[in-house]
Amino acid sequence: MERIQMADGLSFSRIVHGLWRLNEWNYSSQQTLDLIHHALDKGITTFDHADIYGSYTCEELFGDALSLEPSIREKIELVTKCGIVLESANRPEHKSHHYNTSKAHIISSVENSLKNLQTEYIDVLLIHRPDPFMDPEQTVEAFTQLKAQGKVRYFGVSNFKQHQFDLLQSYMDEKLITNQIELSPLQLENFEDGTLNLCMKERIAPMAWSPLSGGSIFSSQEERAARLRNVLQKISGEIGAESIDQVMYAWLLAHPAKIMPIVGSGKTARIDAAVDSLSLKMNHDQWFEILQTSMGHDVP
Amino acid sequence: MERIQMADGLSFSRIVHGLWRLNEWNYSSQQTLDLIHHALDKGITTFDHADIYGSYTCEELFGDALSLEPSIREKIELVTKCGIVLESANRPEHKSHHYNTSKAHIISSVENSLKNLQTEYIDVLLIHRPDPFMDPEQTVEAFTQLKAQGKVRYFGVSNFKQHQFDLLQSYMDEKLITNQIELSPLQLENFEDGTLNLCMKERIAPMAWSPLSGGSIFSSQEERAARLRNVLQKISGEIGAESIDQVMYAWLLAHPAKIMPIVGSGKTARIDAAVDSLSLKMNHDQWFEILQTSMGHDVP
Amino acid sequence: MERIQMADGLSFSRIVHGLWRLNEWNYSSQQTLDLIHHALDKGITTFDHADIYGSYTCEELFGDALSLEPSIREKIELVTKCGIVLESANRPEHKSHHYNTSKAHIISSVENSLKNLQTEYIDVLLIHRPDPFMDPEQTVEAFTQLKAQGKVRYFGVSNFKQHQFDLLQSYMDEKLITNQIELSPLQLENFEDGTLNLCMKERIAPMAWSPLSGGSIFSSQEERAARLRNVLQKISGEIGAESIDQVMYAWLLAHPAKIMPIVGSGKTARIDAAVDSLSLKMNHDQWFEILQTSMGHDVP
């Protein structure tokens, strides 16, 4: 599979596997390990986590699988996130939902992630959401310490707009290596407000969360979704796709920003569909037909 | 006429003549040549085109006139644009309306423009619209090749917001030399959203399209247009203008950004009115009265 | 009191006293002098003015007090502003409300401020509002002349968004040293649109005007204000504040941007309340509860 160079010593598989619903799949550790093997066989080596996924349970489920075959660790890239505080039975000390990007919270969150993932290092740590209360000096102090200790190799952000990215970057010596943002034919905000352009300008490849818009496109009766579904279906035939999810992946993959879609499915067939979409070609007419159908009007 | 230095070896006349409706004027080549001579006599040396104007016909009509007196070429600056794909009987291979800023499309578009304009070089080539599917590396490869071949001297953009401008500029060694944007007393968007400020910050003079808002100000019964028309009429008397179009030009010309209005008329009287507006003076009270009348409220 | 380093040779007290309603307090010069002494005793040394406050009267009222004890001048920092033109019986030559950031207007405005404040220098001059008709070359020429003459030590802006800040800064050799913006739990615009982040990125401490939202929080029956008032009241008890205005100050003071609230009261008790809020501590849960109550929804 195509790989994207993220930093001097790090590359990602173009398709990333996302574990945010791992707890809902009711897999045994062996079944999760089998899924990881399936992904690896297909060329997917990059796995996306967050401390909070599954109300703080998904990292541990993944770590339990990893512990069955520790040698896999060196063959994969682990991304995880921190900075959101959720109320959870698994975190009784949390009294409210808020953000925390203080040095103490980031370091404590990473320590938990390392333990839960049963690994000695995170490849990339992302700040999960822009924090209006962020003290960038503290955040970067945490980064510096975690890097020096070998606990985190690289740092990035998620859902950051330009001013939030520029602020944090201005306090760092190293470059933020990615911005994980929502991108799909149904979610154009980051195409329109300059966030995707920011990534290209900074020469960083974005990770795309919810590349299928959470699946609403498949069933929604809403006019916009229905209209787009029809066009995706038509183009599916034109480009030889097997399903409209492949067309949505192909739409993102065709963009020059080197978008890396995160596939959040536990089903091997859906993972395979995503991987196979890498071979699909989309021309300008088709790319803009999807864009304009989603916008509901022509470009000017 | 005042001239604006656009780059080391290039200046524009402060008033630019626009040819986007040339095909509607039903002029013979000789009549078009006469119009060019009239503009030149008034000091207008800069002519604004796009590949798509008149459904891909205006460049050729201008080129036919130019061919009657080829020595004019060295006395004028030709601006043209590329990047929009229109469905047209003149481009049967176009299957849909979209943007294309690929290397192949830009080069092919410029080759057509050179042939149609009957010239060996374009002074300034603009990307007509920000293309959400733009691969800036490809776009800049086209620029580099066209420059090396002597086919295009300088490059700019049109309708670009800050993030779009910054992205393309970040891939270029040379500076983009202008941003052609919509500016008029009725169209304040680029005043308000930072686009005009971007031009000043980059020290590039913007070209203003639709400086008269397409003429709607003259007849519209809409409340805002009527309200503004009354104020323009009043200020017309105060500053000694002959018509409200002169007041609208004077409003743009008074701004320190060195705005170059594009006059898109085929009538010599309207061209003369624009040129004569260069001698009108507008004070702060008058400038803000027009702004505030257009906004519908006072500045804070 | 904590002090904020604003430039190499200048620091501000963390709490600033604002004189924009000085004319409404009906104080004799001696009473105003007493108020200044009270502020100084509490550690407040920075006083915020504008030419236009009190329809061009407040600077003079302050200057009259200062003239009773001229030695105070060296113990305080004077901030004033220019750039707004108001119709006023005190400025019969003003024909309309507009902005003027021309060299002549700025210099004339500062000359008036020096005379009214009975001082030989202004510590910081701010452009009061972003002027869409600003010629930054002229504005900076005025700055350069005023600095060379020793009439103004440093320059800043007020209510500037990023593109306005970047434009003016791009014409200056020195740094703009502050941006005075509206910030309060009821006014989140500058938190959300990147203006506060700009200040942090530029390493400049913002001054906050209307930190209590003009007092509407205390009495408004509007749903949002009532909802926020309840939460402020609750947190007041949690953190040991004496009143909800202290909680609002504490919310701004807790933010890492080094926000300097401007207290615009002529009552010593209200000034003391602001100063005492410096000792209050607010945790993440509380800070976000206020934010989210004001927004009317949770952070994502």
Side-chain angles (χ1 to χ4, degrees), chain C residues 37-259:
Chain C
H37 270 297
H38 184 86
L40 284 171
D41 290 344
K42 286 286 176 177
I44 296 176
T45 62
T46 307
F47 295 87
D48 183 67
H49 292 269
D51 57 341
I52 59 168
Y53 288 167
S55 197
Y56 299 95
T57 65
C58 291
E59 285 182 327
E60 188 172 1
L61 292 170
F62 190 90
D64 288 344
L66 212 55
S67 72
L68 299 181
E69 189 178 333
S71 65
I72 285 183
R73 178 66 189 91
E74 293 305 304
K75 300 172 186 159
I76 65 176
E77 300 80 45
L78 287 179
V79 179
T80 194
K81 313 187 189 78
C82 65
I84 299 180
V85 176
L86 283 188
E87 291 179 277
S88 165
N90 301 308
R91 292 287 186 280
E93 70 276 22
H94 291 177
K95 286 179 291 186
S96 70
H97 173 212
H98 60 272
Y99 298 155
N100 192 333
T101 52
S102 68
K103 181 176 178 182
H105 179 81
I106 292 173
I107 287 175
S108 153
S109 180
V110 167
E111 297 289 359
N112 279 327
S113 292
L114 292 172
K115 190 179 55 156
N116 289 332
L117 289 166
Q118 304 205 30
T119 182
E120 291 179 5
Y121 64 97
I122 305 295
D123 290 284
V124 185
L125 178 72
L126 309 182
I127 301 297
H128 205 148
R129 290 270 176 192
D131 171 7
F133 197 41
M134 176 176 72
D135 181 343
E137 288 195 55
Q138 279 207 35
T139 305
V140 174
E141 272 183 38
F143 288 178
T144 304
Q145 178 174 319
L146 290 165
K147 175 118 185 173
Q149 295 174 331
K151 292 176 178 169
V152 178
R153 297 180 65 207
Y154 299 98
F155 301 90
V157 292
S158 185
N159 305 300
F160 271 46
K161 301 297 178 193
Q162 169 119 33
H163 62 88
Q164 295 149 345
F165 187 97
D166 288 349
L167 173 57
L168 182 55
Q169 185 66 80
S170 81
Y171 277 84
M172 295 176 65
D173 293 325
E174 298 186 68
K175 280 198 67 165
L176 294 163
I177 71 157
T178 192
N179 191 5
Q180 182 174 125
I181 54 183
E182 188 176 6
L183 293 169
S184 85
L186 262 178
Q187 179 46 273
L188 302 177
E189 180 185 304
N190 289 308
F191 285 91
E192 295 173 337
D193 71 3
T195 305
L196 186 61
N197 279 353
L198 163 70
C199 295
M200 297 179 79
K201 190 185 66 171
E202 296 289 338
R203 310 294 193 271
I204 60 177
M207 306 172 76
W209 62 267
S210 275
L212 307 180
S213 302
S216 66
I217 189 76
F218 300 107
S219 56
S220 170
Q221 297 305 309
E222 196 247 330
E223 197 278 332
R224 181 172 169 238
R227 180 176 79 212
L228 186 57
R229 186 164 56 235
N230 285 340
V231 165
L232 293 169
Q233 196 66 55
K234 187 202 67 154
I235 292 176
S236 175
E238 294 173 8
I239 67 175
E242 289 168 11
S243 56
I244 62 169
D245 58 343
Q246 287 198 324
V247 184
M248 286 192 277
Y249 290 127
W251 189 79
L252 294 176
L253 293 166
H255 194 277
K258 298 180 182 166
I259 297 165

Side-chain angles (χ1 to χ4, degrees), chain A residues 95-100 129 131-136 163-164 166-167 170-171, chain C residues 192-194 197 200-201 203 254-256 284-285 287-288 291-292 298-300:
Chain A
K95 286 180 290 185
S96 71
H97 171 212
H98 59 272
Y99 298 154
N100 193 331
R129 291 270 176 191
D131 171 8
F133 197 41
M134 177 176 71
D135 181 343
H163 61 89
Q164 296 149 344
D166 288 350
L167 172 57
S170 81
Y171 277 84
Chain C
E192 295 173 337
D193 71 3
N197 279 353
M200 297 179 79
K201 190 185 66 171
R203 310 294 193 271
H255 194 277
H284 275 72
D285 294 279
W287 198 90
F288 276 91
L291 176 75
Q292 295 180 139
D298 253 27
V299 292

